[in-house]
Every structure is written in C-alpha cells, then in structure tokens.
Amino acid sequence: MKILSIFVLSVLLALVSVRADPGLLINIAAMSKCPDYRDLVFNTLNPALEMLQITKTNYPEIKTDFIIAQCDPSQDFPWGWSSMHGQSELEGDLWHKIVASVEQTPLASYRFAQCYLAHQEDVPSASVDCIKKMFPDDYAKLNQKFNSGPISDHLLRFTYAAVQRLGAKWSPTVYFNGNSVCEYNSKNCMLGDNPADWAKAMCSLWRGEQPAGCANLQ
C-alpha cells in the first residue's frame, strides 16, 4: 500500500511543471536521518497531499530546513557544524539544501526528499544516488557545490538561520503559513497523524482557489 501511495503522489508531483503562486506554504524543520521525519512524509504528508489532488497550477510550497548546531571543527564534525545523527546526517542535510538551491521546479526538493527517505539508513549515499537518478544533467553542478567549502558553509548557515527564525527544536516540526501546527509524533501536535485532518487543515488555510480534493473533505 505504501509503495502504491508513493507512486500515486509521484505522478501528481510530476504534473507540477508550470510555476504558479503556491496556495499554501509548508515549512518543515527536520533532520535528514530522523525516523519521525520519514514517517511524517510517507505516513501523513504524502497521503494528505494525495487527498488534495494537487495540480501543476495549484500546489503547496514545501520548504525543508535542518536542525543543526555550530561547533568547533573536530574529527567527528570537520565542517564546524554538528547534527544529532552524526556527520552523515549533516551531509544529507547539505545535499537537500543544494538540490533546493538549484532545482527550481516546484516541489523538486520534496520529491528528492521522498527518494532519499525511502533509503534513509543509507543517507548520504542515498542522496547522491537520488540526484543521479532524478537530476542526471545537473549532477556535476550539484556535486561541485557540495565540494565547495564557501558554498556549503553558506547553505548550512542559511538553513541554521531559517530554523532559528522558526523556533523549532523538535524533528520534525511543521508550519503552515508560518504557524506551528505539529511537532510530529509528540504531544505537541494539534493535527495528530491522521492524513485527512492534515488535508482539511491545508484546505482551510489555502490561499486562492482550493484544490479539487478539498470539496471531498467537508
């Protein structure tokens, strides 16, 4: 059932090829190797988006930033940044931000997240495999950015600052239009984990014409 669900959502997201103003801003503060982040995407957010029946002109904007910390460079964290699940997670975080900075097709970085989260235990090698599969023509450019110290540090500083502005400390924390709606898999989640409740909340906050699926969620 999960495989089918991922396939259906992938088809829907593939339709999102024409840029338009997104109807809803979804911010996610997470860690790329956090199991709850994977569960949020596959068990709750994906099914909720399927219910909305998003199209190439009516879709949410999904921005993911990562919970990291500054530290003194060390053998474990040579970049001067640390992450809860180690350097491999930090590298996975960076790959996501590099893809988001280069691939401007709506929802491209979210589709990328689905790919590497399906093999989360293998991040960051799974991230590289996904880039080669999804963005083969851009791999050289993306890899060059990853190996550029100044660019990598800038992107890590950017994602750190974004999480600080959101005020997130729990992975994952989800925001709709700038307002916190869920610290996933914790008592501080007003939406719970029922995809239908998430879909209804998205519809209630949607700017402009609602997706067709909202009519089925009244």
Side-chain angles (χ1 to χ4, degrees), residues 5-6 8-9 12-13 24 26 39-54 60 62 110 114 174 176 184 191-203 206 211-214 216-217:
S5 176
I6 295 172
V8 172
L9 183 59
L12 288 171
L13 294 181
L24 176 72
I26 301 175
D39 291 346
L40 165 71
V41 169
F42 290 134
N43 297 342
T44 302
L45 195 51
N46 276 6
L49 291 172
E50 289 176 25
M51 291 177 187
L52 295 186
Q53 301 176 32
I54 59 175
I62 302 176
Y110 183 70
Q114 291 180 80
V174 183
F176 289 171
Y184 194 74
L191 296 180
D193 57 8
N194 184 341
D197 291 335
W198 282 65
K200 290 176 184 177
M202 291 182 204
C203 291
W206 205 269
C214 290
N216 301 322
L217 294 167

mmCIF file of all heavy atoms in Angstrom, residues 5-6 8-9 12-13 24 26 39-54 60 62 110 114 174 176 184 191-203 206 211-214 216-217:
data_model
loop_
_atom_site.group_PDB
_atom_site.id
_atom_site.type_symbol
_atom_site.label_atom_id
_atom_site.label_comp_id
_atom_site.label_asym_id
_atom_site.label_seq_id
_atom_site.Cartn_x
_atom_site.Cartn_y
_atom_site.Cartn_z
ATOM 1 N N SER A 5 1.040 4.245 -2.714
ATOM 2 C CA SER A 5 0.817 5.623 -2.300
ATOM 3 C C SER A 5 1.928 6.520 -2.818
ATOM 4 O O SER A 5 1.688 7.611 -3.328
ATOM 5 C CB SER A 5 0.744 5.701 -0.771
ATOM 6 O OG SER A 5 0.614 7.028 -0.347
ATOM 7 N N ILE A 6 3.173 6.073 -2.704
ATOM 8 C CA ILE A 6 4.313 6.850 -3.180
ATOM 9 C C ILE A 6 4.224 7.038 -4.682
ATOM 10 O O ILE A 6 4.486 8.113 -5.215
ATOM 11 C CB ILE A 6 5.635 6.169 -2.788
ATOM 12 C CG1 ILE A 6 5.795 6.138 -1.261
ATOM 13 C CG2 ILE A 6 6.823 6.881 -3.435
ATOM 14 C CD1 ILE A 6 6.967 5.324 -0.793
ATOM 15 N N VAL A 8 1.491 7.014 -6.610
ATOM 16 C CA VAL A 8 0.415 7.943 -6.959
ATOM 17 C C VAL A 8 0.853 9.376 -6.731
ATOM 18 O O VAL A 8 0.644 10.258 -7.570
ATOM 19 C CB VAL A 8 -0.854 7.630 -6.144
ATOM 20 C CG1 VAL A 8 -1.898 8.715 -6.351
ATOM 21 C CG2 VAL A 8 -1.418 6.271 -6.560
ATOM 22 N N LEU A 9 1.505 9.647 -5.575
ATOM 23 C CA LEU A 9 1.932 11.007 -5.291
ATOM 24 C C LEU A 9 3.013 11.442 -6.273
ATOM 25 O O LEU A 9 3.039 12.603 -6.696
ATOM 26 C CB LEU A 9 2.455 11.126 -3.859
ATOM 27 C CG LEU A 9 2.852 12.544 -3.438
ATOM 28 C CD1 LEU A 9 1.666 13.487 -3.549
ATOM 29 C CD2 LEU A 9 3.425 12.553 -2.049
ATOM 30 N N LEU A 12 1.357 12.686 -9.288
ATOM 31 C CA LEU A 12 0.781 14.011 -9.062
ATOM 32 C C LEU A 12 1.854 15.090 -9.078
ATOM 33 O O LEU A 12 1.696 16.145 -9.697
ATOM 34 C CB LEU A 12 0.037 14.045 -7.720
ATOM 35 C CG LEU A 12 -1.282 13.276 -7.647
ATOM 36 C CD1 LEU A 12 -1.763 13.221 -6.204
ATOM 37 C CD2 LEU A 12 -2.336 13.928 -8.524
ATOM 38 N N LEU A 13 2.983 14.811 -8.421
ATOM 39 C CA LEU A 13 4.037 15.800 -8.347
ATOM 40 C C LEU A 13 4.696 16.011 -9.704
ATOM 41 O O LEU A 13 5.179 17.099 -10.009
ATOM 42 C CB LEU A 13 5.080 15.383 -7.315
ATOM 43 C CG LEU A 13 4.608 15.344 -5.862
ATOM 44 C CD1 LEU A 13 5.740 14.936 -4.955
ATOM 45 C CD2 LEU A 13 4.047 16.680 -5.433
ATOM 46 N N LEU A 24 -0.303 27.375 -0.459
ATOM 47 C CA LEU A 24 -0.021 27.167 0.958
ATOM 48 C C LEU A 24 1.483 27.022 1.123
ATOM 49 O O LEU A 24 2.141 26.354 0.318
ATOM 50 C CB LEU A 24 -0.719 25.904 1.459
ATOM 51 C CG LEU A 24 -0.463 25.481 2.917
ATOM 52 C CD1 LEU A 24 -1.164 26.432 3.875
ATOM 53 C CD2 LEU A 24 -0.932 24.051 3.155
ATOM 54 N N ILE A 26 4.304 25.413 3.377
ATOM 55 C CA ILE A 26 4.580 24.403 4.397
ATOM 56 C C ILE A 26 6.074 24.430 4.688
ATOM 57 O O ILE A 26 6.889 24.163 3.806
ATOM 58 C CB ILE A 26 4.162 22.993 3.939
ATOM 59 C CG1 ILE A 26 2.671 22.945 3.610
ATOM 60 C CG2 ILE A 26 4.506 21.965 5.015
ATOM 61 C CD1 ILE A 26 2.219 21.607 3.025
ATOM 62 N N ASP A 39 8.600 9.175 8.682
ATOM 63 C CA ASP A 39 7.212 8.792 8.924
ATOM 64 C C ASP A 39 6.252 9.927 8.594
ATOM 65 O O ASP A 39 5.147 9.696 8.080
ATOM 66 C CB ASP A 39 7.037 8.357 10.384
ATOM 67 C CG ASP A 39 7.751 7.046 10.693
ATOM 68 O OD1 ASP A 39 8.144 6.344 9.743
ATOM 69 O OD2 ASP A 39 7.925 6.731 11.886
ATOM 70 N N LEU A 40 6.645 11.159 8.903
ATOM 71 C CA LEU A 40 5.818 12.311 8.544
ATOM 72 C C LEU A 40 5.553 12.334 7.044
ATOM 73 O O LEU A 40 4.405 12.479 6.604
ATOM 74 C CB LEU A 40 6.509 13.609 8.959
ATOM 75 C CG LEU A 40 5.943 14.899 8.328
ATOM 76 C CD1 LEU A 40 4.576 15.216 8.895
ATOM 77 C CD2 LEU A 40 6.912 16.056 8.526
ATOM 78 N N VAL A 41 6.601 12.185 6.255
ATOM 79 C CA VAL A 41 6.471 12.274 4.804
ATOM 80 C C VAL A 41 5.636 11.137 4.249
ATOM 81 O O VAL A 41 4.675 11.360 3.496
ATOM 82 C CB VAL A 41 7.868 12.309 4.144
ATOM 83 C CG1 VAL A 41 7.751 12.119 2.626
ATOM 84 C CG2 VAL A 41 8.566 13.626 4.465
ATOM 85 N N PHE A 42 5.945 9.901 4.610
ATOM 86 C CA PHE A 42 5.292 8.759 3.980
ATOM 87 C C PHE A 42 3.929 8.411 4.578
ATOM 88 O O PHE A 42 3.027 7.985 3.858
ATOM 89 C CB PHE A 42 6.204 7.528 4.041
ATOM 90 C CG PHE A 42 7.407 7.632 3.150
ATOM 91 C CD1 PHE A 42 8.661 7.300 3.619
ATOM 92 C CD2 PHE A 42 7.283 8.072 1.845
ATOM 93 C CE1 PHE A 42 9.776 7.395 2.792
ATOM 94 C CE2 PHE A 42 8.387 8.173 1.015
ATOM 95 C CZ PHE A 42 9.643 7.827 1.493
ATOM 96 N N ASN A 43 3.782 8.603 5.878
ATOM 97 C CA ASN A 43 2.555 8.155 6.538
ATOM 98 C C ASN A 43 1.489 9.242 6.673
ATOM 99 O O ASN A 43 0.305 8.914 6.828
ATOM 100 C CB ASN A 43 2.875 7.607 7.925
ATOM 101 C CG ASN A 43 3.775 6.381 7.876
ATOM 102 O OD1 ASN A 43 3.904 5.737 6.834
ATOM 103 N ND2 ASN A 43 4.426 6.074 8.989
ATOM 104 N N THR A 44 1.892 10.483 6.624
ATOM 105 C CA THR A 44 0.929 11.563 6.873
ATOM 106 C C THR A 44 0.889 12.597 5.756
ATOM 107 O O THR A 44 -0.167 12.853 5.177
ATOM 108 C CB THR A 44 1.234 12.254 8.217
ATOM 109 O OG1 THR A 44 1.200 11.274 9.269
ATOM 110 C CG2 THR A 44 0.214 13.333 8.507
ATOM 111 N N LEU A 45 2.026 13.201 5.425
ATOM 112 C CA LEU A 45 2.018 14.306 4.467
ATOM 113 C C LEU A 45 1.702 13.825 3.052
ATOM 114 O O LEU A 45 0.875 14.438 2.354
ATOM 115 C CB LEU A 45 3.358 15.032 4.509
ATOM 116 C CG LEU A 45 3.411 16.418 3.855
ATOM 117 C CD1 LEU A 45 2.282 17.311 4.362
ATOM 118 C CD2 LEU A 45 4.764 17.063 4.110
ATOM 119 N N ASN A 46 2.337 12.757 2.605
ATOM 120 C CA ASN A 46 2.035 12.246 1.264
ATOM 121 C C ASN A 46 0.553 11.899 1.093
ATOM 122 O O ASN A 46 -0.067 12.334 0.112
ATOM 123 C CB ASN A 46 2.889 11.011 0.957
ATOM 124 C CG ASN A 46 4.272 11.376 0.445
ATOM 125 O OD1 ASN A 46 4.650 12.529 0.411
ATOM 126 N ND2 ASN A 46 5.036 10.367 0.065
ATOM 127 N N PRO A 47 -0.033 11.100 1.995
ATOM 128 C CA PRO A 47 -1.461 10.790 1.836
ATOM 129 C C PRO A 47 -2.345 12.037 1.874
ATOM 130 O O PRO A 47 -3.345 12.113 1.152
ATOM 131 C CB PRO A 47 -1.763 9.862 3.017
ATOM 132 C CG PRO A 47 -0.446 9.263 3.380
ATOM 133 C CD PRO A 47 0.565 10.337 3.116
ATOM 134 N N ALA A 48 -1.984 13.021 2.708
ATOM 135 C CA ALA A 48 -2.777 14.253 2.773
ATOM 136 C C ALA A 48 -2.709 15.009 1.446
ATOM 137 O O ALA A 48 -3.729 15.515 0.951
ATOM 138 C CB ALA A 48 -2.276 15.141 3.908
ATOM 139 N N LEU A 49 -1.533 15.073 0.846
ATOM 140 C CA LEU A 49 -1.387 15.752 -0.439
ATOM 141 C C LEU A 49 -2.151 15.027 -1.545
ATOM 142 O O LEU A 49 -2.718 15.659 -2.446
ATOM 143 C CB LEU A 49 0.092 15.871 -0.805
ATOM 144 C CG LEU A 49 0.913 16.830 0.068
ATOM 145 C CD1 LEU A 49 2.390 16.711 -0.268
ATOM 146 C CD2 LEU A 49 0.443 18.265 -0.096
ATOM 147 N N GLU A 50 -2.190 13.709 -1.482
ATOM 148 C CA GLU A 50 -2.979 12.943 -2.456
ATOM 149 C C GLU A 50 -4.456 13.296 -2.354
ATOM 150 O O GLU A 50 -5.156 13.433 -3.375
ATOM 151 C CB GLU A 50 -2.777 11.448 -2.227
ATOM 152 C CG GLU A 50 -1.408 10.929 -2.620
ATOM 153 C CD GLU A 50 -1.235 9.465 -2.289
ATOM 154 O OE1 GLU A 50 -2.255 8.743 -2.217
ATOM 155 O OE2 GLU A 50 -0.086 9.035 -2.103
ATOM 156 N N MET A 51 -4.925 13.457 -1.116
ATOM 157 C CA MET A 51 -6.340 13.812 -0.920
ATOM 158 C C MET A 51 -6.663 15.173 -1.532
ATOM 159 O O MET A 51 -7.780 15.398 -2.005
ATOM 160 C CB MET A 51 -6.671 13.827 0.572
ATOM 161 C CG MET A 51 -6.651 12.469 1.230
ATOM 162 S SD MET A 51 -6.978 12.604 3.014
ATOM 163 C CE MET A 51 -6.692 10.914 3.533
ATOM 164 N N LEU A 52 -5.695 16.070 -1.535
ATOM 165 C CA LEU A 52 -5.940 17.408 -2.080
ATOM 166 C C LEU A 52 -6.067 17.413 -3.595
ATOM 167 O O LEU A 52 -6.671 18.316 -4.172
ATOM 168 C CB LEU A 52 -4.804 18.356 -1.682
ATOM 169 C CG LEU A 52 -4.628 18.688 -0.203
ATOM 170 C CD1 LEU A 52 -3.552 19.734 -0.027
ATOM 171 C CD2 LEU A 52 -5.928 19.155 0.423
ATOM 172 N N GLN A 53 -5.473 16.411 -4.241
ATOM 173 C CA GLN A 53 -5.472 16.362 -5.715
ATOM 174 C C GLN A 53 -4.798 17.601 -6.291
ATOM 175 O O GLN A 53 -5.376 18.346 -7.094
ATOM 176 C CB GLN A 53 -6.893 16.211 -6.266
ATOM 177 C CG GLN A 53 -7.618 14.956 -5.786
ATOM 178 C CD GLN A 53 -9.049 14.893 -6.263
ATOM 179 O OE1 GLN A 53 -9.393 15.365 -7.338
ATOM 180 N NE2 GLN A 53 -9.914 14.286 -5.448
ATOM 181 N N ILE A 54 -3.556 17.829 -5.870
ATOM 182 C CA ILE A 54 -2.813 18.987 -6.346
ATOM 183 C C ILE A 54 -2.541 18.863 -7.842
ATOM 184 O O ILE A 54 -2.491 17.764 -8.395
ATOM 185 C CB ILE A 54 -1.488 19.157 -5.580
ATOM 186 C CG1 ILE A 54 -0.597 17.913 -5.721
ATOM 187 C CG2 ILE A 54 -1.754 19.478 -4.127
ATOM 188 C CD1 ILE A 54 0.759 18.073 -5.097
ATOM 189 N N PRO A 60 1.074 23.259 -2.972
ATOM 190 C CA PRO A 60 1.711 23.948 -1.854
ATOM 191 C C PRO A 60 3.199 24.131 -2.126
ATOM 192 O O PRO A 60 3.806 23.394 -2.901
ATOM 193 C CB PRO A 60 1.494 22.984 -0.687
ATOM 194 C CG PRO A 60 1.526 21.640 -1.346
ATOM 195 C CD PRO A 60 0.899 21.819 -2.711
ATOM 196 N N ILE A 62 6.698 23.656 -0.355
ATOM 197 C CA ILE A 62 7.226 22.913 0.786
ATOM 198 C C ILE A 62 8.706 23.230 0.926
ATOM 199 O O ILE A 62 9.501 22.930 0.039
ATOM 200 C CB ILE A 62 7.014 21.398 0.629
ATOM 201 C CG1 ILE A 62 5.529 21.083 0.465
ATOM 202 C CG2 ILE A 62 7.587 20.656 1.843
ATOM 203 C CD1 ILE A 62 5.234 19.616 0.213
ATOM 204 N N TYR A 110 11.129 18.419 -2.491
ATOM 205 C CA TYR A 110 10.283 17.489 -1.737
ATOM 206 C C TYR A 110 10.289 16.115 -2.401
ATOM 207 O O TYR A 110 10.334 15.093 -1.718
ATOM 208 C CB TYR A 110 8.861 18.030 -1.619
ATOM 209 C CG TYR A 110 7.966 17.141 -0.786
ATOM 210 C CD1 TYR A 110 8.162 17.036 0.587
ATOM 211 C CD2 TYR A 110 6.942 16.393 -1.365
ATOM 212 C CE1 TYR A 110 7.354 16.215 1.358
ATOM 213 C CE2 TYR A 110 6.134 15.563 -0.592
ATOM 214 C CZ TYR A 110 6.353 15.479 0.770
ATOM 215 O OH TYR A 110 5.562 14.652 1.533
ATOM 216 N N GLN A 114 11.576 12.523 -0.741
ATOM 217 C CA GLN A 114 10.903 11.232 -0.794
ATOM 218 C C GLN A 114 11.856 10.129 -1.236
ATOM 219 O O GLN A 114 11.814 9.019 -0.723
ATOM 220 C CB GLN A 114 9.732 11.285 -1.772
ATOM 221 C CG GLN A 114 8.565 12.140 -1.337
ATOM 222 C CD GLN A 114 7.481 12.102 -2.391
ATOM 223 O OE1 GLN A 114 6.713 11.155 -2.461
ATOM 224 N NE2 GLN A 114 7.425 13.116 -3.224
ATOM 225 N N VAL A 174 6.346 21.081 11.918
ATOM 226 C CA VAL A 174 5.704 21.514 10.674
ATOM 227 C C VAL A 174 4.963 22.823 10.910
ATOM 228 O O VAL A 174 4.308 23.010 11.951
ATOM 229 C CB VAL A 174 4.723 20.439 10.154
ATOM 230 C CG1 VAL A 174 4.110 20.864 8.820
ATOM 231 C CG2 VAL A 174 5.434 19.093 10.010
ATOM 232 N N PHE A 176 2.358 25.721 8.889
ATOM 233 C CA PHE A 176 1.504 26.115 7.767
ATOM 234 C C PHE A 176 1.433 27.634 7.750
ATOM 235 O O PHE A 176 0.997 28.250 8.726
ATOM 236 C CB PHE A 176 0.088 25.545 7.905
ATOM 237 C CG PHE A 176 -0.019 24.059 7.694
ATOM 238 C CD1 PHE A 176 -1.201 23.391 7.980
ATOM 239 C CD2 PHE A 176 1.043 23.309 7.202
ATOM 240 C CE1 PHE A 176 -1.327 22.022 7.784
ATOM 241 C CE2 PHE A 176 0.938 21.941 7.006
ATOM 242 C CZ PHE A 176 -0.254 21.298 7.293
ATOM 243 N N TYR A 184 5.815 16.549 15.212
ATOM 244 C CA TYR A 184 5.311 15.237 14.805
ATOM 245 C C TYR A 184 5.716 14.142 15.798
ATOM 246 O O TYR A 184 6.839 14.089 16.283
ATOM 247 C CB TYR A 184 5.828 14.890 13.417
ATOM 248 C CG TYR A 184 5.112 13.729 12.762
ATOM 249 C CD1 TYR A 184 3.829 13.888 12.252
ATOM 250 C CD2 TYR A 184 5.708 12.490 12.676
ATOM 251 C CE1 TYR A 184 3.171 12.836 11.653
ATOM 252 C CE2 TYR A 184 5.059 11.422 12.072
ATOM 253 C CZ TYR A 184 3.787 11.599 11.565
ATOM 254 O OH TYR A 184 3.137 10.544 10.973
ATOM 255 N N LEU A 191 -2.570 18.459 15.022
ATOM 256 C CA LEU A 191 -3.198 17.751 13.910
ATOM 257 C C LEU A 191 -3.136 16.237 14.046
ATOM 258 O O LEU A 191 -3.783 15.531 13.273
ATOM 259 C CB LEU A 191 -2.524 18.158 12.588
ATOM 260 C CG LEU A 191 -2.667 19.616 12.175
ATOM 261 C CD1 LEU A 191 -1.944 19.853 10.857
ATOM 262 C CD2 LEU A 191 -4.131 20.003 12.058
ATOM 263 N N GLY A 192 -2.377 15.730 15.011
ATOM 264 C CA GLY A 192 -2.251 14.286 15.141
ATOM 265 C C GLY A 192 -1.523 13.691 13.944
ATOM 266 O O GLY A 192 -0.679 14.342 13.322
ATOM 267 N N ASP A 193 -1.876 12.456 13.584
ATOM 268 C CA ASP A 193 -1.207 11.824 12.443
ATOM 269 C C ASP A 193 -2.205 11.320 11.396
ATOM 270 O O ASP A 193 -1.843 10.545 10.506
ATOM 271 C CB ASP A 193 -0.297 10.676 12.902
ATOM 272 C CG ASP A 193 -1.053 9.610 13.694
ATOM 273 O OD1 ASP A 193 -2.297 9.667 13.763
ATOM 274 O OD2 ASP A 193 -0.384 8.717 14.244
ATOM 275 N N ASN A 194 -3.469 11.752 11.492
ATOM 276 C CA ASN A 194 -4.486 11.352 10.527
ATOM 277 C C ASN A 194 -4.359 12.220 9.271
ATOM 278 O O ASN A 194 -4.568 13.434 9.329
ATOM 279 C CB ASN A 194 -5.881 11.511 11.139
ATOM 280 C CG ASN A 194 -6.981 11.011 10.224
ATOM 281 O OD1 ASN A 194 -6.788 10.869 9.017
ATOM 282 N ND2 ASN A 194 -8.141 10.732 10.783
ATOM 283 N N PRO A 195 -4.032 11.629 8.114
ATOM 284 C CA PRO A 195 -3.850 12.432 6.894
ATOM 285 C C PRO A 195 -5.072 13.285 6.551
ATOM 286 O O PRO A 195 -4.927 14.402 6.039
ATOM 287 C CB PRO A 195 -3.577 11.382 5.817
ATOM 288 C CG PRO A 195 -2.998 10.225 6.554
ATOM 289 C CD PRO A 195 -3.707 10.210 7.872
ATOM 290 N N ALA A 196 -6.279 12.784 6.823
ATOM 291 C CA ALA A 196 -7.480 13.544 6.500
ATOM 292 C C ALA A 196 -7.537 14.845 7.298
ATOM 293 O O ALA A 196 -7.953 15.894 6.773
ATOM 294 C CB ALA A 196 -8.730 12.708 6.756
ATOM 295 N N ASP A 197 -7.133 14.797 8.557
ATOM 296 C CA ASP A 197 -7.122 16.015 9.370
ATOM 297 C C ASP A 197 -6.093 17.014 8.831
ATOM 298 O O ASP A 197 -6.330 18.230 8.839
ATOM 299 C CB ASP A 197 -6.816 15.671 10.824
ATOM 300 C CG ASP A 197 -7.944 14.894 11.492
ATOM 301 O OD1 ASP A 197 -9.097 15.016 11.041
ATOM 302 O OD2 ASP A 197 -7.661 14.151 12.457
ATOM 303 N N TRP A 198 -4.972 16.513 8.370
ATOM 304 C CA TRP A 198 -3.961 17.389 7.775
ATOM 305 C C TRP A 198 -4.500 18.011 6.500
ATOM 306 O O TRP A 198 -4.318 19.201 6.258
ATOM 307 C CB TRP A 198 -2.688 16.589 7.496
ATOM 308 C CG TRP A 198 -1.860 16.342 8.709
ATOM 309 C CD1 TRP A 198 -2.205 15.589 9.795
ATOM 310 C CD2 TRP A 198 -0.566 16.862 8.982
ATOM 311 N NE1 TRP A 198 -1.199 15.604 10.734
ATOM 312 C CE2 TRP A 198 -0.176 16.373 10.256
ATOM 313 C CE3 TRP A 198 0.313 17.680 8.284
ATOM 314 C CZ2 TRP A 198 1.057 16.684 10.828
ATOM 315 C CZ3 TRP A 198 1.551 17.990 8.847
ATOM 316 C CH2 TRP A 198 1.907 17.498 10.109
ATOM 317 N N ALA A 199 -5.141 17.209 5.673
ATOM 318 C CA ALA A 199 -5.679 17.719 4.414
ATOM 319 C C ALA A 199 -6.738 18.799 4.664
ATOM 320 O O ALA A 199 -6.767 19.834 3.991
ATOM 321 C CB ALA A 199 -6.268 16.577 3.588
ATOM 322 N N LYS A 200 -7.613 18.571 5.634
ATOM 323 C CA LYS A 200 -8.634 19.564 5.962
ATOM 324 C C LYS A 200 -7.995 20.866 6.439
ATOM 325 O O LYS A 200 -8.448 21.960 6.080
ATOM 326 C CB LYS A 200 -9.566 19.009 7.040
ATOM 327 C CG LYS A 200 -10.477 17.888 6.566
ATOM 328 C CD LYS A 200 -11.299 17.336 7.724
ATOM 329 C CE LYS A 200 -12.144 16.160 7.287
ATOM 330 N NZ LYS A 200 -12.901 15.568 8.425
ATOM 331 N N ALA A 201 -6.955 20.747 7.262
ATOM 332 C CA ALA A 201 -6.274 21.949 7.753
ATOM 333 C C ALA A 201 -5.639 22.713 6.599
ATOM 334 O O ALA A 201 -5.681 23.947 6.553
ATOM 335 C CB ALA A 201 -5.222 21.560 8.785
ATOM 336 N N MET A 202 -5.047 22.005 5.652
ATOM 337 C CA MET A 202 -4.454 22.661 4.485
ATOM 338 C C MET A 202 -5.525 23.400 3.689
ATOM 339 O O MET A 202 -5.326 24.551 3.278
ATOM 340 C CB MET A 202 -3.760 21.626 3.594
ATOM 341 C CG MET A 202 -2.521 21.012 4.184
ATOM 342 S SD MET A 202 -1.765 19.843 3.007
ATOM 343 C CE MET A 202 -0.859 18.800 4.134
ATOM 344 N N CYS A 203 -6.652 22.743 3.476
ATOM 345 C CA CYS A 203 -7.731 23.382 2.718
ATOM 346 C C CYS A 203 -8.224 24.651 3.401
ATOM 347 O O CYS A 203 -8.503 25.653 2.739
ATOM 348 C CB CYS A 203 -8.890 22.405 2.539
ATOM 349 S SG CYS A 203 -8.548 21.014 1.428
ATOM 350 N N TRP A 206 -5.784 27.455 2.662
ATOM 351 C CA TRP A 206 -5.356 27.630 1.274
ATOM 352 C C TRP A 206 -5.680 29.028 0.770
ATOM 353 O O TRP A 206 -6.775 29.544 0.981
ATOM 354 C CB TRP A 206 -6.047 26.600 0.401
ATOM 355 C CG TRP A 206 -5.283 26.274 -0.855
ATOM 356 C CD1 TRP A 206 -5.411 26.882 -2.070
ATOM 357 C CD2 TRP A 206 -4.280 25.272 -1.005
ATOM 358 N NE1 TRP A 206 -4.540 26.322 -2.969
ATOM 359 C CE2 TRP A 206 -3.834 25.327 -2.347
ATOM 360 C CE3 TRP A 206 -3.712 24.334 -0.144
ATOM 361 C CZ2 TRP A 206 -2.846 24.469 -2.841
ATOM 362 C CZ3 TRP A 206 -2.730 23.490 -0.634
ATOM 363 C CH2 TRP A 206 -2.313 23.561 -1.954
ATOM 364 N N PRO A 211 -7.624 23.290 -4.031
ATOM 365 C CA PRO A 211 -7.503 22.099 -4.865
ATOM 366 C C PRO A 211 -8.828 21.344 -4.915
ATOM 367 O O PRO A 211 -9.650 21.428 -3.989
ATOM 368 C CB PRO A 211 -6.423 21.269 -4.150
ATOM 369 C CG PRO A 211 -5.680 22.235 -3.304
ATOM 370 C CD PRO A 211 -6.669 23.278 -2.899
ATOM 371 N N ALA A 212 -9.039 20.582 -5.983
ATOM 372 C CA ALA A 212 -10.311 19.889 -6.169
ATOM 373 C C ALA A 212 -10.638 18.953 -5.025
ATOM 374 O O ALA A 212 -11.802 18.780 -4.665
ATOM 375 C CB ALA A 212 -10.268 19.103 -7.485
ATOM 376 N N GLY A 213 -9.631 18.345 -4.419
ATOM 377 C CA GLY A 213 -9.878 17.381 -3.356
ATOM 378 C C GLY A 213 -10.492 17.985 -2.114
ATOM 379 O O GLY A 213 -11.076 17.260 -1.304
ATOM 380 N N CYS A 214 -10.371 19.294 -1.935
ATOM 381 C CA CYS A 214 -10.932 19.928 -0.739
ATOM 382 C C CYS A 214 -12.457 19.744 -0.686
ATOM 383 O O CYS A 214 -13.043 19.670 0.409
ATOM 384 C CB CYS A 214 -10.591 21.411 -0.704
ATOM 385 S SG CYS A 214 -8.831 21.763 -0.396
ATOM 386 N N ASN A 216 -14.096 17.203 -1.248
ATOM 387 C CA ASN A 216 -14.420 15.883 -0.701
ATOM 388 C C ASN A 216 -14.096 15.773 0.782
ATOM 389 O O ASN A 216 -14.319 14.710 1.373
ATOM 390 C CB ASN A 216 -13.622 14.811 -1.449
ATOM 391 C CG ASN A 216 -13.913 14.808 -2.937
ATOM 392 O OD1 ASN A 216 -15.046 15.014 -3.356
ATOM 393 N ND2 ASN A 216 -12.884 14.580 -3.749
ATOM 394 N N LEU A 217 -13.617 16.852 1.379
ATOM 395 C CA LEU A 217 -13.160 16.796 2.772
ATOM 396 C C LEU A 217 -14.025 17.634 3.687
ATOM 397 O O LEU A 217 -13.656 17.902 4.826
ATOM 398 C CB LEU A 217 -11.714 17.285 2.858
ATOM 399 C CG LEU A 217 -10.685 16.400 2.153
ATOM 400 C CD1 LEU A 217 -9.351 17.125 2.029
ATOM 401 C CD2 LEU A 217 -10.508 15.079 2.885
#
